[in-house]
Amino acid sequence: MIVLSKKPYYISTAIAYTSGKPHIGNTYEIVLADSIARFKRFQGFDVYFQTGTDEHGQKIELKAAEAKVTPKEFVDAVAEEIKRIWDLMNTSYDKFIRTTDEDHEKQVQKIFKKLYEKGDIYKGFYEGLYCTPCESFFTSSQLVDGKCPDCGREVQPAKEEAYFLKLSKYADRLIEHINTHPEFIQPESRKNEMMNNFLLPGLQDLCVSRTSFKWGIPVDFDSKHVVYVWLDALSNYITGIGYDADGNSSEQYKKFWPADLHLIGKDIIRFHTIYWPIILMALEQPLPKQIFGHPWLLQGSSADKMSKSKGNVIYADDLVKLFGVDAVRYFVLHEMPFENDGIISWELLVERINSDLANTLGNLVNRTISMSNKYFDGTVYNRNVTEPVDEELKALALETPKKVIAKMDKLRVADAISEIFSLFKRCNKYIDETMPWVLAKDEAKKERLETVLYNLVESICIGASILEAFMPETSKNILDQLSTKARTLEELGQFGLYKSGNEVTKSPKILFARLDLKEILEKVEEMNANADTTNGEVNTVSDESQDSSVIDIEAKPEITYDDFSKLQFQVGEIIACEEVKKSKKLLCSQVKIGSQVKQIVSGIKGHYKPEEMVGKKVMVVVNLKPAKLAGILSEGMLLCAEDADGNLSLMVPEKDMPAGAEIQ
């Protein structure tokens, strides 16, 4: 849906806990929220984007004591570091709220008192099993293997006087709301988890104050108590935009509440989809329209959750030093599935940057500008000398914004980025199809060559304009090199708006340089060696005892020239590719070889996505006897290379060769 009016849109992240420096998994959330906020602005919404820090609790009090500073001094330093990283990642938040802000603390006290006077908060006595890092009480039945169900750490018996929020009073109303608003909790699996594990079995009232520590917002009518962290932290979503418990809320609050989207990690989904809605119901305020519990970004091939105790933490600022801001933004947004956890590793980062950013995007832009300079001194003309091959590119360029909008409306950010890069891949294929270097040799084809280069520049402009939400600096860089500005969403419905006769830059800049994995790992090792280890915050990289640039494999028996001559090798072009259902390894490709198309099944699913395969020129063994793999007929073999770590790379011709060319 294209939105033309300035309709308000309020998006928030969870506020980061100030116990230490956020790792890349924490940082993913702010980048994800930023991409959604930027895209909503692109669509014409009046966006308010809030993030911030959660700064109270027993854990902070203990860490401050260990550091021999006051809790406020401790959180001031950590909050500043969190904000620095959020700014480093080029996030466009409108407000950075801190729960130590005076106006927030005042409103939390008023909220607590209002709910107490209403009878929704009452004084009682709590005895249970307490997890200090999570600042949560649990019953023995809620534990997993005797440990905290949220973080897996040890719990301790705790007993103290406390105030409680009557969750049970509002449980049926919340269940009805969830059932009648299917979009309220996303993805669907998160909703099912909350309903089946917590709401339907029955809710226990929630402890909302503590007496065993002092670092919190005081209950102003009972100084022995401080407000429990979740009532404090969750309230930021309304206090940050001007909510007033006495009924004097700001115009900003009236404009933006209820929130359109709370974006949070799946580990805190319970607090946001059960406790927070009930707090709002008790306050007689509307519920947020949607709560999205995003998956985790896990580290390495072992797919572990990042933890300082495990020594597997990767930090955003370290990644930026090695790869740049937009490369890191691209990776975390593109590699995180909608519902399942994503994986980050140094190897995968290098692979993605080389294949997607350096090759697909960077090479496309550089080649297009270089050819414009080489053949026409940088001037781009639209001579409208068209051929049928142009229509597919133009159609995809015009369809891509619509496809991206459809994906973003469902918060499928990774899929939205893939749609944009499908356009860039199609541009590369268009170059192979039209062969500008051949057209340049024929003076009679000059105007056709000008049209081809114009179509490329125009398509890149469309792709770069819609890329801004995800890679803002890269988008600007591309458009600057093409001497143009970003298109509006309405303008993306037209092909041909790039001014004929415009000049591209005479000095094209490399957007993303290809990286050498060995060099990157050496830099990582050096970076880790120089890291501050005082708090155990050291990233680890496994020791590589084998030089991956030299691989010895077991020799097979010699064959004769006649044996070898029986094999037929040709260049093929992959025109379609899809996953083989019920197989973890297989992709099924339709490969054009000369005038025929062969179906080839390959065990490369772990290394290539189907959309990455389309358009590739590959080396094929074409005269293998057909065989069935997973019940699907395969009529050949794609040639691949494999390194010592099991990474596969398709063998591709060094120069542009037509599909069907014989490999000798």
Side-chain angles (χ1 to χ4, degrees):
M1 180 180 67
I2 296 177
V3 180
L4 300 178
S5 62
K6 283 283 186 179
K7 183 179 178 181
Y9 185 90
Y10 176 23
I11 178 174
S12 69
T13 69
I15 49 177
Y17 197 45
T18 49
S19 58
K21 181 178 178 178
H23 56 62
I24 188 60
N26 308 133
T27 309
Y28 160 70
E29 184 176 299
I30 188 74
V31 175
L32 177 64
D34 179 66
S35 70
I36 296 169
R38 286 177 181 270
F39 196 81
K40 286 296 180 182
R41 293 189 195 105
F42 180 62
Q43 287 183 283
F45 285 87
D46 182 4
V47 174
Y48 190 84
F49 173 17
Q50 180 170 296
T51 187
T53 44
D54 173 9
E55 304 185 10
H56 293 122
Q58 186 176 20
K59 188 175 182 180
I60 301 295
E61 191 173 79
L62 293 172
K63 279 185 166 286
E66 290 173 5
K68 297 181 180 179
V69 296
T70 67
K72 186 61 165 64
E73 288 172 331
F74 184 87
V75 296
D76 282 349
V78 178
E80 183 179 351
E81 177 68 359
I82 292 170
K83 191 173 185 295
R84 181 187 71 84
I85 292 174
W86 281 196
D87 293 340
L88 173 69
M89 296 309 300
N90 198 8
T91 57
S92 58
Y93 56 84
D94 295 287
K95 179 163 185 174
F96 189 96
I97 188 173
R98 298 178 57 185
T99 56
T100 53
D101 290 342
E102 184 178 349
D103 55 347
H104 170 79
E105 291 190 341
K106 181 180 178 181
Q107 284 301 326
V108 168
Q109 288 180 319
K110 290 167 72 172
I111 288 169
F112 194 100
K113 187 174 183 179
K114 180 175 183 175
L115 297 182
Y116 176 74
E117 291 175 345
K118 187 181 177 184
D120 286 331
I121 285 179
Y122 63 91
K123 196 173 187 177
F125 188 80
Y126 199 93
E127 185 172 6
L129 298 165
Y130 186 69
C131 175
T132 299
C134 293
E135 304 199 18
S136 297
F137 279 101
F138 298 97
T139 63
S140 58
S141 63
Q142 290 175 317
L143 302 182
V144 176
D145 297 327
K147 297 182 179 180
C148 172
D150 289 339
C151 72
R153 294 181 175 91
E154 297 291 340
V155 294
Q156 303 297 330
K159 183 178 181 180
E160 62 181 271
E161 181 184 88
Y163 286 91
F164 292 84
L165 176 66
K166 291 181 180 179
L167 295 184
S168 52
K169 176 181 175 180
Y170 295 94
D172 289 343
R173 182 175 160 188
L174 179 57
I175 290 171
E176 181 184 3
H177 181 84
I178 292 172
N179 285 333
T180 56
H181 296 78
E183 74 289 347
F184 180 58
I185 304 175
Q186 289 294 318
E188 181 82 8
S189 59
R190 311 276 188 258
K191 181 187 82 171
N192 296 336
E193 178 188 351
M194 293 302 103
M195 291 288 282
N196 297 330
N197 294 353
F198 297 99
L199 281 165
L200 295 179
L203 289 178
Q204 294 184 343
D205 290 349
L206 176 68
C207 175
V208 290
S209 78
R210 299 295 308 282
T211 60
S212 57
F213 60 91
K214 294 298 182 184
W215 182 239
I217 300 173
V219 175
D220 57 358
F221 58 86
D222 192 342
S223 59
K224 188 169 65 173
H225 290 257
V226 295
V227 179
Y228 181 59
V229 65
W230 282 109
L231 182 61
D232 169 13
L234 290 165
S235 297
N236 93 89
Y237 301 125
I238 54 176
T239 65
I241 57 170
Y243 171 77
D244 178 65
D246 292 337
N248 300 313
S249 298
S250 69
E251 290 303 314
Q252 184 184 54
Y253 179 77
K254 296 172 185 176
K255 176 181 179 180
F256 285 105
W257 191 261
D260 293 88
L261 178 64
H262 286 332
L263 190 67
I264 59 167
K266 65 178 182 179
D267 52 330
I268 54 174
I269 191 80
R270 171 164 52 99
F271 306 102
H272 284 78
T273 60
I274 297 178
Y275 303 161
W276 178 227
I278 287 177
I279 292 169
L280 289 167
M281 287 176 179
L283 291 172
E284 300 178 359
Q285 296 300 306
L287 303 194
K289 296 174 186 176
Q290 188 170 77
I291 301 167
F292 181 82
H294 65 75
W296 286 334
L297 189 60
L298 304 177
Q299 202 276 333
S301 57
S302 58
D304 288 332
K305 185 180 178 184
M306 288 185 206
S307 165
K308 293 171 187 174
S309 62
K310 293 180 180 179
N312 66 349
V313 176
I314 298 176
Y315 294 106
D317 50 353
D318 290 336
L319 291 172
V320 169
K321 289 175 187 175
L322 293 172
F323 307 114
V325 172
D326 271 11
V328 178
R329 285 178 63 106
Y330 173 80
F331 183 88
V332 297
L333 292 173
H334 183 262
E335 291 303 304
M336 184 68 81
F338 175 72
E339 192 164 352
N340 300 318
D341 295 331
I343 301 293
I344 184 170
S345 70
W346 302 107
E347 293 80 2
L348 192 54
L349 270 157
V350 170
E351 179 185 333
R352 280 286 174 264
I353 290 169
N354 284 346
S355 63
D356 298 356
L357 301 184
N359 188 27
T360 297
L361 177 56
N363 191 40
L364 167 66
V365 174
N366 190 267
R367 277 205 295 175
T368 301
I369 294 175
S370 296
M371 287 190 292
S372 297
N373 280 309
K374 180 178 180 180
Y375 301 134
F376 302 108
D377 197 29
T379 306
V380 180
Y381 293 102
N382 184 12
R383 301 301 187 186
N384 286 309
V385 181
T386 62
E387 293 185 2
V389 70
D390 301 346
E391 297 310 310
E392 186 179 334
L393 175 64
K394 292 179 180 179
L396 183 59
L398 294 175
E399 283 296 316
T400 295
K402 300 175 187 176
K403 292 179 178 180
V404 172
I405 290 170
K407 300 297 185 185
M408 291 299 289
D409 282 348
K410 297 179 180 178
L411 302 181
R412 292 187 173 271
V413 177
D415 294 338
I417 296 174
S418 292
E419 294 290 356
I420 301 171
F421 273 74
S422 291
L423 174 59
F424 293 142
K425 289 174 183 176
R426 186 63 188 83
C427 289
N428 281 312
K429 183 181 178 183
Y430 181 74
I431 293 175
D432 295 338
E433 292 169 334
T434 56
M435 295 185 287
W437 51 90
V438 174
L439 295 174
K441 296 177 181 178
D442 187 347
E443 183 63 24
K445 300 283 187 177
K446 178 182 176 181
E447 292 191 347
R448 172 58 185 159
L449 175 58
E450 288 176 311
T451 303
V452 165
L453 292 175
Y454 179 88
N455 289 341
L456 284 168
V457 169
E458 174 69 356
S459 299
I460 293 170
C461 284
I462 290 173
S465 294
I466 205 165
L467 186 66
E468 190 277 338
F470 315 102
M471 302 173 70
E473 288 302 318
T474 299
S475 170
K476 184 177 184 302
N477 192 344
I478 294 170
L479 294 169
D480 284 349
Q481 292 196 58
L482 296 177
S483 303
T484 190
K485 61 181 180 65
R487 306 280 172 86
T488 65
L489 190 57
E490 292 73 35
E491 289 172 335
L492 292 180
Q494 303 174 64
F495 192 96
L497 294 183
Y498 188 83
K499 185 178 178 181
S500 182
N502 202 20
E503 292 186 4
V504 299
T505 181
K506 292 290 192 295
S507 304
K509 299 175 183 177
I510 300 297
L511 293 177
F512 298 95
R514 288 189 62 83
L515 302 173
D516 181 89
L517 177 59
K518 185 178 179 182
E519 290 180 5
I520 291 296
L521 292 178
E522 288 173 352
K523 289 180 180 179
V524 170
E525 197 169 320
E526 180 182 353
M527 186 169 61
N528 289 338
N530 295 329
D532 175 13
T533 62
T534 56
N535 291 317
E537 298 181 1
V538 181
N539 302 336
T540 59
V541 177
S542 59
D543 179 36
E544 298 290 340
S545 58
Q546 181 179 2
D547 180 1
S548 60
S549 64
V550 180
I551 301 175
D552 293 319
I553 62 174
E554 183 179 351
K556 294 182 179 180
E558 289 184 350
I559 62 172
T560 66
Y561 182 83
D562 288 337
D563 291 330
F564 180 79
S565 66
K566 294 177 183 177
L567 294 173
Q568 183 178 348
F569 300 86
Q570 288 178 263
V571 173
E573 180 182 357
I574 299 176
I575 59 175
C577 183
E578 61 183 6
E579 295 181 356
V580 175
K581 294 180 179 179
K582 299 182 181 180
S583 172
K584 295 181 179 179
K585 297 182 178 180
L586 299 179
L587 294 180
C588 181
S589 302
Q590 305 300 318
V591 187
K592 181 181 178 182
I593 304 165
S595 61
Q596 61 179 323
V597 176
K598 285 183 174 285
Q599 178 170 279
I600 299 178
V601 179
S602 311
I604 57 175
K605 187 175 178 180
H607 307 272
Y608 291 91
K609 294 181 180 179
E611 60 267 24
E612 293 175 335
M613 299 285 286
V614 177
K616 284 187 179 294
K617 296 285 185 67
V618 292
M619 299 184 184
V620 187
V621 181
V622 298
N623 65 332
L624 285 179
K625 184 178 180 180
K628 283 193 174 183
L629 299 176
I632 298 177
L633 187 68
S634 182
E635 301 172 294
M637 178 183 291
L638 306 184
L639 297 184
C640 294
E642 182 177 14
D643 67 15
D645 297 321
N647 298 310
L648 293 180
S649 175
L650 285 165
M651 302 301 292
V652 299
E654 179 186 4
K655 297 181 179 179
D656 186 72
M657 300 296 289
E662 185 177 5
I663 301 172
Q664 302 183 3

